[in-house]
Amino acid sequence: MAGGAFESSVGGAKGKKEYPGELTGFLLFTCLIAACGGGVTAMTPFLQKFFPKVYRQEIGVDSANQYCKFNSVPLTFFTSSLYLAALVASVLASEATKKFGRKVTMFVGGLVFLLGAVLNGFAQNLWMLITGRILLGIGVGCANQSVPLYLSEMAPSKYRGALNSCFQLMITVGIFLANLVNFFTNKMTDGPVQGWRVSLGLAVVPALIMTVGGFFLPDTPNSIISRNKPEEAKKQLQRIRGPVNIDEEFTDLVAASRESQKYEGQWNNLMQRRFRPHLCLAILIPFFQQFTGINVVMFYAPVLFTTLGFGSSASLLSAMVTGGVNLFATFVAIALVDKVGRRKLFLEGGCQMFIFQVLIGVLIWVKFGTTGIATISSGYGILVVVCICLFVAGFAWSWAPLAWLVPSEIFPLEIRSAAQSIVVVVNMLCTFLIAQIFLIMLCHMKFGLFFFFGGMVAIMTVFIYFFVPETKGIPIEEVSQVLKNHWYWGRFITQDIELENKRKTLNT
């Protein structure tokens, strides 16, 4: 991709490849629009209407144990059904993304997301609520499958990290605005429209952005070439790169596409030995991202703060604060990811998250012990919130954007759509499992839950150190060379290529 440098060693000599091109206004606009693609669970009217048992537990009628206030199978299924739907949708979306292009998948996902938002806003019973949530999940699955690929293929390599991180930026903007809306609509208990309906219904805003953007945005040159339209792809590449010579980059894209067409069936390709490193990273990176414990903090923030003894409004305010930290720290990631590289952000963020995850566990242990019955002072509560904010910041400038960026840029064209689906499936499956069992784990493991996630953060940081190479500034169709030169992953790629060459020699 434009502006990036790629160094390889051939016969002891180093060669360097660069594509000309800068960040054009057209590219910036399209990527920002493409990137646009739970707080009500703490609202009393919402709980009274759909989850009366949880409401009784919250006010202490059925249970005074702070750890078990929100332990409810229907409530957790309402939250986690979105991720299960996204998991299924992402698999189906992979074929659509490959055959019809990235923008078509974004457009269809936006339409379904829009329908789900409307259904949630007008929900009259639990099944309407969950059906709307499932439709939202289908939209999320389509977006997560297509948007990271779109951004990585459109961006010049030296800006790829920043532009791809805009996907995560839009997520954090959504979380922050959702917490902001929840805080103010929580007071809307009287009148024809209650606050929780406004909170759920406002999901139509990102849905409209995604739908309209998916309709008007251009497709990526890589995707157009793969559908055998080279002339159209060349015009598109020239448009997004500006007034520079794009012949070398276009030639490489065409060559990569021809190479990918030699292999029939992208899912079968994934099983080949040469793609073992890509498959492992497609599974392990999103797996570790979800086991940082971030969903415990962000999606259940109002519930978590209420559990810690904050009032309903105070808990939503605290959640809004963490959402603001999340948003600010994402800007840090955008500023640094193409300068300091992926690995340094991964490693620093992992160390920071480990420290503050353990501190949160200790603070809750000291105050609530194993009984879960206690009250906390405002000063102690502020200390917990500060630790949570520093944990969130570490995640937001490392694992939040990078867990989407790195997988999307390491896959060669012949497996790119299928491999991205694996990333989304693993991400959504792990998110579903955590959302489904978190409140049960909190009820039984108590403060030990934070030590569990802290241990997972330590493991994944070691994994990054040994097994994830740096991909900063490398053209997207050349990133596989980095894995080929890796001390561990290289053996799979090299041996597989050697075996294939021997078979071709014997056949001829």
Side-chain angles (χ1 to χ4, degrees):
M1 286 294 168
F6 170 63
E7 294 188 1
S8 60
S9 181
V10 182
K14 287 189 176 181
K16 190 173 185 180
K17 176 180 287 189
E18 290 189 3
Y19 299 137
E22 292 298 328
L23 186 62
T24 64
F26 172 74
L27 173 62
L28 183 61
F29 173 76
T30 56
C31 287
L32 287 176
I33 294 297
C36 289
V40 295
T41 54
M43 292 185 179
T44 297
F46 177 79
L47 293 175
Q48 285 177 314
K49 181 173 179 63
F50 295 106
F51 306 98
K53 182 180 177 181
V54 176
Y55 173 69
R56 291 196 300 271
Q57 290 176 176
E58 183 190 17
I59 62 177
V61 174
D62 292 348
S63 173
N65 189 330
Q66 298 282 2
Y67 292 121
C68 300
K69 272 187 173 185
F70 293 90
N71 186 16
S72 164
V73 173
L75 179 61
T76 52
F77 185 73
F78 161 71
T79 304
S80 60
S81 59
L82 182 149
Y83 310 112
L84 188 61
L87 184 157
V88 176
S90 65
V91 176
L92 299 177
S94 69
E95 287 301 318
T97 300
K98 183 177 182 181
K99 290 181 179 179
F100 306 111
R102 289 35 169 158
K103 61 171 288 183
V104 171
T105 307
M106 284 190 280
F107 175 71
V108 173
L111 282 178
V112 179
F113 195 97
L114 181 62
L115 181 59
V118 172
L119 199 59
N120 270 177
F122 289 97
Q124 298 299 316
N125 53 57
L126 184 58
W127 288 110
M128 280 185 70
L129 199 67
I130 291 178
T131 301
R133 187 80 172 165
I134 290 172
L135 291 175
L136 291 177
I138 294 173
V140 168
C142 291
N144 286 349
Q145 207 286 331
S146 56
V147 173
L149 293 184
Y150 184 93
L151 296 174
S152 288
E153 290 180 349
M154 290 289 277
S157 57
K158 67 179 179 181
Y159 299 116
R160 190 172 64 238
L163 286 175
N164 199 292
S165 296
C166 287
F167 177 58
Q168 181 63 31
L169 175 64
M170 293 302 112
I171 294 175
T172 60
V173 168
I175 293 172
F176 175 72
L177 292 178
N179 288 329
L180 187 66
V181 169
N182 290 341
F183 176 71
F184 288 105
T185 58
N186 184 48
K187 305 178 188 301
M188 296 171 57
T189 56
D190 300 321
V193 180
Q194 291 192 312
W196 65 267
R197 290 194 184 277
V198 177
S199 294
L200 293 179
L202 281 178
V204 299
V205 177
L208 285 171
I209 294 174
M210 184 175 167
T211 305
V212 175
F215 183 80
F216 287 105
L217 289 183
D219 216 338
T220 69
N222 313 62
S223 178
I224 298 171
I225 290 173
S226 68
R227 301 199 304 277
N228 298 316
K229 298 178 181 179
E231 292 304 317
E232 180 182 338
K234 188 170 185 178
K235 291 179 182 178
Q236 181 65 7
L237 184 62
Q238 188 72 70
R239 190 179 182 193
I240 63 177
R241 293 293 179 256
V244 297
N245 189 331
I246 49 94
D247 289 346
E248 184 179 8
E249 181 177 6
F250 177 72
T251 300
D252 287 348
L253 292 180
V254 172
S257 178
R258 288 175 179 169
E259 183 67 21
S260 70
Q261 291 173 2
K262 295 178 181 179
Y263 306 96
E264 292 297 330
Q266 55 178 340
W267 293 100
N268 291 332
N269 291 340
L270 267 174
M271 298 301 108
Q272 294 181 21
R273 181 181 174 86
R274 73 174 70 185
F275 297 126
R276 195 80 49 81
H278 308 80
L279 181 60
C280 289
L281 293 175
I283 293 172
L284 291 175
I285 289 177
F287 170 83
F288 282 129
Q289 184 200 44
Q290 294 310 307
F291 276 86
T292 58
I294 188 62
N295 284 336
V296 173
V297 175
M298 296 307 298
F299 290 106
Y300 287 101
V303 171
L304 183 62
F305 288 127
T306 301
T307 294
L308 293 173
F310 292 79
S312 177
S313 294
S315 70
L316 289 170
L317 176 61
S318 300
M320 189 172 67
V321 171
T322 58
V325 171
N326 189 28
L327 176 60
F328 172 77
T330 304
F331 281 108
V332 175
I334 292 174
L336 296 180
V337 65
D338 289 315
K339 295 179 180 178
V340 305
R342 285 61 159 150
R343 277 174 54 84
K344 288 182 180 179
L345 287 180
F346 261 137
L347 295 173
E348 190 284 330
C351 292
Q352 183 173 330
M353 284 189 291
F354 173 77
I355 292 170
F356 289 101
Q357 185 84 273
V358 172
L359 278 177
I360 293 167
V362 170
L363 290 171
I364 296 176
W365 181 14
V366 169
K367 181 55 67 173
F368 290 97
T370 57
T371 63
I373 301 175
T375 56
I376 61 175
S377 65
S378 59
Y380 202 89
I382 291 172
L383 180 59
V384 174
V385 171
V386 169
C387 289
I388 288 176
C389 286
L390 290 171
F391 168 81
V392 169
F395 175 81
W397 60 52
S398 61
W399 277 87
L402 298 180
W404 293 109
L405 167 62
V406 173
S408 73
E409 63 185 1
I410 63 172
F411 303 137
L413 188 60
E414 57 264 35
I415 62 167
R416 192 167 293 158
S417 294
Q420 182 64 20
S421 288
I422 295 292
V423 173
V424 179
V425 165
V426 174
N427 185 288
M428 292 300 150
L429 178 60
C430 292
T431 307
F432 170 78
L433 291 174
I434 291 175
Q436 195 66 26
I437 66 175
F438 158 64
L439 294 174
I440 299 173
M441 292 174 70
L442 181 62
C443 186
H444 291 86
M445 295 178 67
K446 303 175 174 59
F447 58 84
L449 179 64
F450 295 92
F451 298 144
F452 166 77
F453 284 120
M456 293 300 299
V457 170
I459 292 171
M460 73 191 199
T461 303
V462 173
F463 165 76
I464 291 294
Y465 183 81
F466 286 105
F467 296 105
V468 178
E470 182 58 69
T471 55
K472 178 188 72 170
I474 301 172
I476 191 169
E477 302 301 348
E478 304 284 357
V479 171
S480 285
Q481 186 71 25
V482 178
L483 292 176
K484 185 179 178 180
N485 295 332
H486 189 266
W487 71 272
Y488 180 75
W489 300 124
R491 70 187 69 180
F492 295 96
I493 300 173
T494 303
Q495 291 176 7
D496 198 42
I497 292 175
E498 289 175 351
L499 288 173
E500 182 172 325
N501 290 335
K502 287 181 181 178
R503 284 195 296 266
K504 288 181 179 178
T505 302
L506 290 174
N507 291 334
T508 55

